[in-house]
Amino acid sequence: MSARVGRVMRRVARAVAVAALVLAPDALAAQLRPHADWRTLATEHFRVHFTPATEEQARRAAAAAERAWALLADELAAPRGPVDLVLSDDVDFSNGYATPFPSNRIVVYAQPPVASASLRFYEDWTTLVVTHELAHIFHLDRSRGWWRAAQYVFGRNPALFPNLYTPAWVKEGLAVHYESKLTGAGRLHGRQFHMYAQAARLAGHLPRLDELSLATSQFPGGETSYAYGSLLMDRLANASGGMRGFVDATAGTVIPFRLNHNAKRGFGTSFGDAWTRWRDSLPAPSAGGSTLPGVGRTLARGAWALEYPRWMNDSLLLVAGNDGRDVPGAYLVAPGRAPERVGRRNGVDRNVPLADGGVLYAQLDYTDPYTVRSDLWVQRGGTERRLTAGARLTTPDARARDGAIVAVQSVPGTTRLVRVSADGQRIVPLAPASLDAQWSEPRWSPEGDRIAAVRLRRGAVSELVVLDTLGAELRVVAAARAVSAAPAWTPDGRRLVFASDVGGQPEIYELSLDSPDATPRRVAATATGFFQPDVSPTGGALAAVRYENDGYALAVTPLASDLAVAADLPWPHVEHGASAAAETAAPSEQGTAGRYSPWRSLMPRYWSPMLLAGEGDDLLLGGFTSGADVVGRHSYAAQALVNLSNGQASYDAHYRYAGLGQPLLDVGLAEFWDDMVLARESGEVAGELRERTRLLSLAASLSRPRARSSAYASLAGEVEQRRYTTRPAPLLDSIAARFGRGATEPAVRLSAGWSNTRHPMRSVSAEDGVSVSASARQRWLADDVSALTRSAQASLSAYKSLPVGRGAHHVLALRVAGGWADDAATSSFEAGGVNGGALEIVPGVVLGEGAHTFGVRGFASEAQEGNRAATATLEYRAPLGYPTRGAGLFPAFLDRTALALFAEGGSAWCSEAAAAGRRIACTGGASDPRWLASVGAELSLDAAVLEWDSTYRFRVGVAAPVRGRELTGADAASVYVTVGRAF
């Protein structure tokens, strides 16, 4: 075994440390509070985990899950073992996810999807999301043939679930099919996905199957996988009844990427042929709304998101938007001029003009590392001020005369209407919260004596409700089994204008409040869809958001009562008020709940074999495993390796405890070997020195994520124990003066970082901000030279977007880094190499060496070593294009490409005392740095390989050294390939 194998082991140890964090539930992404008071309710097929605040919804979710299990078991083969279902109320947005690894697990966020147009059509929203996620479990857990045999050996290894290898449009298409089929509502019964297809056909660009990816940067993003995948999978399932056959075919095939082969076995036709037939079956595009006033003037278009236009006056509109080129913001839009950005936003909630010139709005932000809440803010000029903290308020509206606010407040499992004082200090509910009804989009009447809002009832019914200022219902109108939304008043307070898809696609309707028997009349329509209307102050114009194939548009059309025409179909009659209140409550599980125990879900469920090559004939054979309980309170990763040549055993294990919330506590234990050849002055080999190193580490970490910045700090302690042996054994006595017989040395490290960089959706680089990180270490030495040694290093990256081109910004990026260690240092800094990342192929197997703090491209990664180091990099980054497609049904997807031109320089060197002490390598020289420098270019590709939906950054570059070649023997130019971002 060689010293090189020791370095490999250290890198693998670092990879395991990374894997321990990656494989553990990510608190910032999953938003599960590991330190919460979790409870568990067991049913026949589920363990439902919840906190006391969500118990009522959890019991409903348990009943819904058992019902969904029974229905899905008639469609697909049932999964193995109980399913862990977690209900979390830690974020104010809707989502859920499912995974078969390391056990079958579902997480549902207890926030109804009232803000999502595509998800609003539900009988009961908890049933909808549970059915969708459970369909994933039925699909992904299925394995047959050699896959099942391999699982008997390796357990629930994530590499051994064949249906995981299908693209998202298959996985999500199947789940949306069953959510719609088994609940009687869902997205296929709604109109949003059909609208996408209609708009694409109208534009003459229905996407190809290889353009469907969650990773696409083309509008409307990952929604295309859900929309087109569900439309295709639903058609195939209904035509052939072969969904189970397809799932089983993929679950048993040797090569799961053979999509057409498996489709033919399950559905009797290939996906390619089925897609062509579905595409050709779509109705011919129509102009839509030809009997109505024209769609009017288009003031803005091509936005990724465009929400809630509000008239400032008869010619100026305020709107929330996201163009993909920048982060979300508020914009002023007027005829004849480009939209003017007037403020940054964390999302695209409603912006409300105030009488004093300010703007009221709601936006999401972290309140702690596990919790995301929506609060009210006011912007005046360029200054933003928070009105509420953790109040969970969305879609506010302000009364003109006194600034009193009406808003929607999230509570566990549902929403309610509340009144909020103008200063945000007092919040008064207007009606009791109910899991059977959710509220959305309130608006004050012009006189400020009434409130109009949308109520979503069980049964997929939308109602427009008019209330007084104390919350008493004055009138319920326009009740329909449809998605109705965004009511707005006409200036005289006698009519409501709103959007509804009751006629088959989202259109604008008007309702007179003068007559108790009035029915809505359609006043604006388009071939695709109209949303979120607002009426101008004089009542003569209507602004609304229109869907187009390349983005949302803001349009203005005339509005007058004599222009309104009857809808093509009579407005459907749906019971409301007292009749609706008598509806049957949702089923609820009545079992006894107990305290949450993490141990059953924490036990190891799999292992992965590992094989590493050393120099010569050395081979290291071993295994890797990891695990985490369902709420992320405990997580671990471990590996063990044996050198087949000499029997040396190495291991590395990491454990994280998150039960305190903050800080996170980490423990690591590792042992590895370095073997070095000893030579006499004559050059003759004298023997071999073996160094065994054991490391014990403890760390406490704090994080402070925010929507616009993030910060972290970590304090770690470490004990390193080294022991030496020689072959032959008597050599140890002769070299003990230099190496000793061993040592035990403790150390402490402090690390911290902060960043406020921006990441627009179509960006090719971080933009407009800085990232800084630093660490300092003190190590106590067990020798006679010095009692301790200290070191520190820091880096700073800065980014500036440039207004070049019409697509993503060009970016100028700068990075500087420096390292210092005292003269007693026992480890060195290394200058050279290509800075990048690491790609984990399967747990424990990592491609790439990761970050080089002091990288200089064009030179070897250890071109220079010393106890001092400094580097600087300047890059110009420019987007090249957005192919956003794959290669047929081959598992690959290329999203975006970019070019970077760089100049880079740096050095690692030793102080005179460190060079004289000979405790570290000083290949960079003594006292004065010998600078290395290079220039070059990189092509970056954001692509998925052997996958469709998770892209990595692959970089191909050429670097030409312009200084330092004679010092290091570097080539005149070198080509490199790596993964990850340069910085």
Side-chain angles (χ1 to χ4, degrees):
M1 186 176 179
S2 67
R4 177 182 178 273
V5 173
R7 290 194 294 272
V8 169
M9 284 300 304
R10 290 188 181 95
R11 288 166 183 162
V12 172
R14 289 196 294 268
V16 173
V18 171
L21 303 181
V22 170
L23 293 173
D26 184 348
L28 302 184
Q31 304 305 328
L32 299 180
R33 297 176 65 86
H35 57 301
D37 180 17
W38 291 99
R39 310 292 175 86
T40 301
L41 174 66
T43 67
E44 181 181 0
H45 298 106
F46 296 88
R47 291 189 294 264
V48 183
H49 311 286
F50 58 91
T51 57
T54 59
E55 181 168 354
E56 182 182 358
Q57 187 189 6
R59 291 184 178 276
R60 290 193 179 194
E66 287 293 349
R67 176 184 179 275
W69 181 288
L71 295 173
L72 282 166
D74 289 337
E75 303 276 340
L76 303 171
R80 294 161 288 177
V83 177
D84 287 291
L85 170 58
V86 183
L87 193 68
S88 167
D89 188 37
D90 298 318
V91 300
D92 287 348
F93 54 83
S94 301
N95 207 347
Y97 58 89
T99 176
F101 167 78
S103 60
N104 286 322
R105 303 176 179 190
I106 295 172
V107 173
V108 173
Y109 297 163
Q111 172 72 13
V114 294
S116 173
S118 67
L119 287 168
R120 274 191 179 186
F121 192 71
Y122 53 78
E123 294 277 347
D124 174 83
W125 81 266
T126 304
T127 299
L128 181 81
V129 67
V130 168
T131 303
H132 179 98
E133 301 303 339
L134 186 59
H136 282 314
I137 296 297
F138 271 72
H139 179 207
L140 301 178
D141 181 74
R142 184 67 169 147
S143 62
R144 298 171 56 243
W146 84 271
W147 297 97
R148 179 60 67 91
Q151 287 183 5
Y152 279 120
V153 177
F154 299 107
R156 297 182 68 88
N157 192 303
L160 300 178
F161 288 89
N163 281 309
L164 278 174
Y165 293 99
T166 56
W169 59 263
V170 170
K171 294 192 282 277
E172 299 300 343
L174 178 147
V176 172
H177 161 74
Y178 282 119
E179 106 192 6
S180 304
K181 177 180 180 179
L182 302 183
T183 71
R187 282 168 277 194
L188 285 172
H189 293 293
R191 303 309 308 166
Q192 192 89 351
F193 288 176
H194 301 276
M195 181 187 69
Y196 292 162
Q198 171 74 354
R201 186 167 180 84
L202 186 65
H205 182 71
L206 276 162
R208 305 176 352 170
L209 282 176
D210 63 358
E211 293 178 290
L212 307 181
S213 170
L214 295 181
T216 182
S217 56
Q218 292 290 349
F219 177 82
E223 278 285 283
T224 57
S225 291
Y226 286 80
Y228 294 109
S230 61
L231 291 170
L232 178 60
M233 296 294 283
D234 185 66
R235 179 185 177 92
L236 285 169
N238 291 332
S240 68
M243 190 72 84
R244 180 167 186 161
F246 168 72
V247 171
D248 286 351
T250 306
T253 188
V254 176
I255 304 175
F257 302 116
R258 300 174 65 192
L259 295 180
N260 277 333
H261 171 78
N262 296 326
K264 288 179 180 178
R265 292 177 60 191
F267 298 122
T269 185
S270 70
F271 279 127
D273 290 343
W275 179 256
T276 299
R277 288 195 298 272
W278 172 81
R279 181 188 61 200
D280 294 342
S281 71
L282 289 177
S286 62
S290 59
T291 61
L292 298 172
V295 295
R297 302 182 63 180
T298 299
L299 304 186
R301 67 190 337 150
W304 268 70
L306 199 62
E307 303 282 341
Y308 300 109
R310 294 293 293 263
W311 290 92
M312 304 281 287
N313 54 49
D314 272 344
S315 62
L316 187 64
L317 285 151
L318 178 66
V319 66
N322 187 348
D323 61 3
R325 177 180 169 92
D326 210 333
V327 293
Y331 292 84
L332 289 176
V333 183
R337 72 185 198 198
E340 177 188 355
R341 185 179 174 92
V342 293
R344 181 180 177 182
R345 300 289 184 264
N346 299 343
V348 285
D349 205 325
R350 178 185 287 174
N351 287 264
V352 181
L354 299 176
D356 63 1
V359 176
L360 170 71
Y361 55 96
Q363 63 182 4
L364 293 165
D365 207 344
Y366 288 88
T367 59
D368 64 48
Y370 306 98
T371 309
V372 177
R373 295 300 185 219
S374 182
D375 277 297
L376 300 185
W377 294 68
V378 169
Q379 177 182 335
R380 291 184 172 90
T383 303
E384 295 178 285
R385 181 171 67 89
R386 182 195 289 267
L387 290 185
T388 63
R392 311 187 66 176
L393 301 172
T394 59
T395 55
D397 193 38
R399 188 161 57 185
R401 68 170 182 257
D402 59 0
I405 299 167
V406 61
V408 172
Q409 184 177 49
S410 297
V411 294
T414 189
T415 60
R416 65 184 180 187
L417 292 183
V418 294
R419 282 273 306 270
V420 186
S421 61
D423 60 4
Q425 298 302 303
R426 296 183 304 281
I427 300 175
V428 179
L430 293 179
S434 169
L435 293 179
D436 295 318
Q438 289 79 48
W439 292 87
S440 182
E441 302 166 320
R443 287 288 296 268
W444 285 107
S445 66
E447 302 85 0
D449 59 344
R450 290 167 295 167
I451 299 167
V454 174
R455 181 167 59 194
L456 307 172
R457 287 199 288 109
R458 287 186 67 242
V461 173
S462 294
E463 300 172 331
L464 267 61
V465 183
V466 180
L467 308 97
D468 67 16
T469 60
L470 299 179
E473 290 186 15
L474 301 176
R475 189 170 178 182
V476 180
V477 297
R481 186 175 161 84
V483 176
S484 298
W489 298 82
T490 56
D492 57 11
R494 299 172 59 189
R495 293 176 290 164
L496 286 175
V497 174
F498 63 98
S500 180
D501 62 7
V502 69
Q505 65 187 40
E507 298 168 324
I508 307 302
Y509 289 81
E510 177 194 72
L511 175 69
S512 172
L513 299 178
D514 291 339
S515 169
D517 299 323
T519 58
R521 301 181 300 174
R522 195 169 51 142
V523 294
T526 183
T528 54
F530 258 147
F531 311 87
Q532 299 170 347
D534 196 42
V535 182
S536 65
T538 58
L542 174 76
V545 175
R546 183 176 69 239
Y547 182 84
E548 297 179 346
N549 191 53
D550 59 352
Y552 289 96
L554 178 60
V556 174
T557 188
L559 177 66
S561 59
D562 59 344
L563 293 177
V565 299
D568 298 333
L569 296 174
W571 190 269
H573 174 73
V574 176
E575 292 292 337
H576 56 75
S579 300
E583 62 190 349
T584 303
S588 180
E589 175 62 46
Q590 298 303 312
T592 301
R595 296 193 66 82
Y596 169 77
S597 174
W599 309 119
R600 183 177 298 180
S601 60
L602 191 62
M603 61 186 296
R605 302 292 181 127
Y606 81 102
W607 69 282
S608 290
M610 299 180 66
L611 184 65
L612 296 177
E615 290 184 349
D617 297 328
D618 284 351
L619 285 176
L620 286 80
L621 179 65
F624 173 92
T625 190
S626 66
D629 71 292
V630 294
V631 301
R633 187 172 295 171
H634 308 271
S635 56
Y636 61 87
Q639 69 173 14
L641 292 163
V642 175
N643 189 315
L644 300 181
S645 300
N646 55 28
Q648 291 174 344
S650 302
Y651 60 84
D652 188 30
H654 287 260
Y655 164 75
R656 166 168 286 183
Y657 177 65
L660 301 178
Q662 292 264 14
L664 300 175
L665 302 179
D666 293 275
V667 180
L669 183 64
E671 178 178 306
F672 50 87
W673 296 78
D674 274 331
D675 289 2
M676 294 171 281
V677 174
L678 298 175
R680 297 188 176 94
E681 291 185 4
S682 62
E684 178 185 353
V685 173
E688 186 177 70
L689 173 69
R690 292 182 171 180
E691 178 187 69
R692 184 190 68 190
T693 301
R694 288 177 176 167
L695 292 172
L696 172 65
S697 61
L698 302 170
S701 304
L702 299 169
S703 63
R704 186 185 181 277
R706 292 294 183 267
R708 303 185 187 184
S709 66
S710 62
Y712 71 89
S714 176
L715 178 63
E718 179 184 280
V719 177
E720 179 177 318
Q721 182 191 74
R722 297 187 305 277
R723 294 292 183 266
Y724 297 101
T725 59
T726 59
R727 290 195 309 176
L731 277 175
L732 185 60
D733 295 331
S734 64
I735 65 171
R738 178 177 177 185
F739 291 97
R741 298 179 182 275
T744 300
E745 298 176 341
V748 63
R749 181 191 299 271
L750 177 64
S751 303
W754 180 84
S755 176
N756 70 342
T757 57
R758 303 185 184 191
H759 299 268
M761 290 187 299
R762 290 174 62 83
S763 64
V764 297
S765 168
E767 297 182 5
D768 298 314
V770 298
S771 293
V772 60
S773 63
S775 65
R777 181 189 188 203
Q778 178 167 301
R779 184 176 183 181
W780 287 266
L781 303 177
D783 59 34
D784 298 330
V785 177
S786 176
L788 55 84
T789 180
R790 296 187 176 98
S791 62
Q793 64 181 52
S795 66
L796 181 145
S797 301
Y799 310 87
K800 182 66 181 73
S801 64
L802 305 174
V804 178
R806 300 181 61 184
H809 291 127
H810 293 220
V811 176
L812 196 62
L814 171 69
R815 182 179 186 271
V816 293
W820 171 91
D822 61 20
D823 298 336
T826 58
S827 60
S828 60
F829 301 113
E830 299 170 352
V834 180
N835 191 26
L839 176 61
E840 188 176 25
I841 302 171
V842 295
V845 179
V846 178
L847 175 66
E849 297 183 0
H852 288 282
T853 304
F854 304 104
V856 183
R857 283 163 278 195
F859 298 88
S861 59
E862 300 170 4
Q864 292 183 335
E865 296 182 75
N867 68 329
R868 309 279 195 273
T871 54
T873 304
L874 182 65
E875 287 196 4
Y876 184 91
R877 300 169 177 175
L880 287 182
Y882 294 82
T884 58
R885 68 174 45 181
L889 293 183
F890 184 79
F893 184 81
L894 177 60
D895 179 48
R896 69 192 82 189
T897 62
L899 177 68
L901 305 177
F902 66 85
E904 194 162 57
S907 179
W909 68 99
C910 281
S911 63
E912 291 186 1
R918 301 179 62 189
R919 297 165 63 87
I920 60 173
C922 294
T923 57
S927 183
D928 296 322
R930 300 175 181 176
W931 296 104
L932 311 177
S934 64
V935 297
E938 276 187 358
L939 173 67
S940 66
L941 310 170
D942 288 3
V945 178
L946 295 182
E947 227 271 292
W948 283 273
D949 299 287
S950 299
T951 61
Y952 298 88
R953 174 150 294 185
F954 295 89
R955 294 157 47 212
V956 181
V958 57
V962 295
R963 184 169 181 173
R965 278 189 62 202
E966 67 285 356
L967 301 173
T968 61
D971 295 333
S974 60
V975 176
Y976 57 87
V977 179
T978 189
V979 297
R981 299 180 183 274
F983 61 92

